Amino acid sequence: MLLWPLCLPAQQPVGTEDFHNPEPTIPAQCYTATDGLHNPCWACHTSRNGLNHKGDWVLQRAYAFSPAGSHNHWDNLFRDLRNAIAAISDEEIISWIRQDNYTHLLRNSSPGPGYRPDLDFSKGFDEDGFARDGSGWRALRYQPFPGVFWPTNGNTDDVFIRLPALFGQDEKGRASRAVLKRNYAILEQAMNVPDTREVALPAYYEGAARNIPVHRWRYPLGTEFLHSVRYIDVDAQDLRSARLKELRYSRKLQNPDTTQIAIAYQHDREEKILGWVPAFHGDAERGLMNAFGWVYQGWIEDKAGALRPQTREETTWCMGCHGGIGVTVDSSFAFPRKLPGDAGFALQTLRGQQDRPQAGHRQGEVLTWLERAGGGDEFRSNTEMLERFFIGGRLNRAAVRRAAIGGDRDLHWLLAPSRERAIALNKAYLVLVRAQRFEKGRDVVLSPPRHVHREIRNGDTGLAANGRVYSDGRLWLE
């Protein structure tokens, strides 16, 4: 079921006939060769949970690609970038990543029907995590999703949330920080308690939002997220570079009820059976909308390094994970993974964070993922993680546990790349920027990965026969 707000003109869902990749919603990681033993897929594809009815854990057992998706169109993965990386000096890449390319976008983006960037990073954030520029954005501190979102695999990032202005006003319509903080606390109760636990929720939000009902695992209408994706600056306290690779934005424009959500998942299953390629309403200027009322819009570097609007195909790439997999909570990732309470409302850093288990698990999430995936990334191409933690091909569990709760290390120690690797990954991405062929992929690898399929033949992955299928993946953390 495809939804579109009544305030915007009706139009047909976006087709993919003119795309280089006819099904860009399938990320490159889904083409991993498991060899019947290595399973990074469990983190995304899991059993039904909360209001997420996807229940796609069976994709671990058997490849089930559409005809359009059976060929791996992420050609950039297979480019050998080593000579191009070597041609970029360390001084050049360090200078590149420390240049600010966001302020120009902030000050010069033209008004349009979509989101116009309005967060001024340079003014910083206060002790409650709110932006000092008055924009209303609030910073989140969260445990990064396993694999591709770890700094060791090429990116740093931060995430911000903003509730509608009504949530920060008292019953007389006056601005109130106290009311806003209480409403965020209510939202955290509604979104971050896993479905294995009961929680007593108030019927409504507070203050001027007193007539807005609280729904478990559903954000209020008008909730916004902002996500910056950056290079790795190993000399920065939190590893984030001044330069942005991407700026990603989402907003909840419709709020389907539980029945509509269930129908949307049923339609998704029917389309999957028919082998149809997902289609979405919208365009590059306004963003694309998924079946659950969220619109997604993005900017990415142009050849000169300035942030430009993403194309329709580049934005469609985002849609596969936001609403198309079994693990998300109301199409989101970061908020349900924030540190509990006030500690989770601050600028992102891995320093001081320790490896927490997923909901229902006993050991840390990172340890579990490394065990099941058999490497430090989905492709098992991160040689540095293999050398650090896989001794003789076997995971050194004791070493990884040092970053778990009660250990003497943290996630920064566990998941940050060495200076040499960080510089090489930054160079590899700059090569992709200069080529401007993001429709062929934006994942950075230092050499063509050996454990990735170019063509998929649907059928048994071999994981079930070896007891390597898991239906216990959860976005929520203990």
Side-chain angles (χ1 to χ4, degrees), residues 38 150 355 363-376 385-401 414:
H38 308 290
W150 291 342
D355 186 17
Q363 68 180 19
E365 177 186 62
V366 176
L367 176 57
T368 301
W369 196 89
L370 292 175
E371 283 182 340
R372 295 179 177 182
M385 288 290 282
L386 290 171
E387 291 167 0
R388 283 186 68 192
F389 298 113
F390 290 82
I391 311 302
R394 296 177 63 87
L395 179 64
N396 186 340
R397 296 163 57 90
V400 178
R401 283 199 182 102
L414 184 62

Side-chain angles (χ1 to χ4, degrees), residues 2 11-16 278-282 312:
L2 294 165
Q11 61 184 91
Q12 292 298 313
V14 169
T16 62
F280 305 96
H281 286 282
R312 193 180 66 179

Side-chain angles (χ1 to χ4, degrees), residues 232-288:
I232 311 159
D233 188 341
V234 292
D235 294 325
Q237 173 70 13
D238 301 315
L239 300 178
R240 290 188 302 276
S241 65
R243 175 176 293 279
L244 272 63
K245 292 180 175 180
E246 298 179 49
L247 183 68
R248 303 172 180 176
Y249 170 81
S250 62
R251 183 181 182 188
K252 194 168 191 179
L253 287 184
Q254 284 192 333
N255 200 5
D257 60 28
T258 55
T259 299
Q260 291 172 316
I261 290 171
I263 291 172
Y265 279 114
Q266 178 60 35
H267 284 195
D268 175 80
R269 285 190 289 273
E270 293 169 356
E271 291 172 354
K272 182 76 174 176
I273 292 170
L274 293 170
W276 291 359
V277 173
F280 305 96
H281 286 282
D283 51 48
E285 190 176 14
R286 296 183 301 172
L288 300 180

Side-chain angles (χ1 to χ4, degrees), residues 191-202:
M191 298 302 300
N192 292 24
V193 178
D195 58 1
T196 54
R197 298 182 185 177
E198 294 298 322
V199 58
L201 292 174

Side-chain angles (χ1 to χ4, degrees), residues 285-306:
E285 190 176 14
R286 296 183 301 172
L288 300 180
M289 178 172 275
N290 72 9
F292 308 102
W294 288 92
V295 66
Y296 297 88
Q297 186 181 353
W299 292 259
I300 198 165
E301 284 182 279
D302 67 14
K303 190 173 184 178

Side-chain angles (χ1 to χ4, degrees), residues 310-363:
Q310 290 191 357
T311 66
R312 193 180 66 179
E313 181 170 355
E314 290 163 352
T315 304
T316 304
W317 173 81
C318 305
M319 308 301 286
C321 294
H322 289 285
I325 57 177
V327 77
T328 53
V329 179
D330 199 358
S331 301
S332 73
F333 285 90
F335 190 81
R337 301 174 62 82
K338 69 177 286 293
L339 298 185
D342 291 343
F345 289 114
L347 269 177
Q348 170 70 338
T349 179
L350 298 185
R351 296 185 186 275
Q353 283 200 56
Q354 292 186 305
D355 186 17
R356 292 182 289 161
Q358 288 190 3
H361 292 219
R362 292 187 176 182
Q363 68 180 19

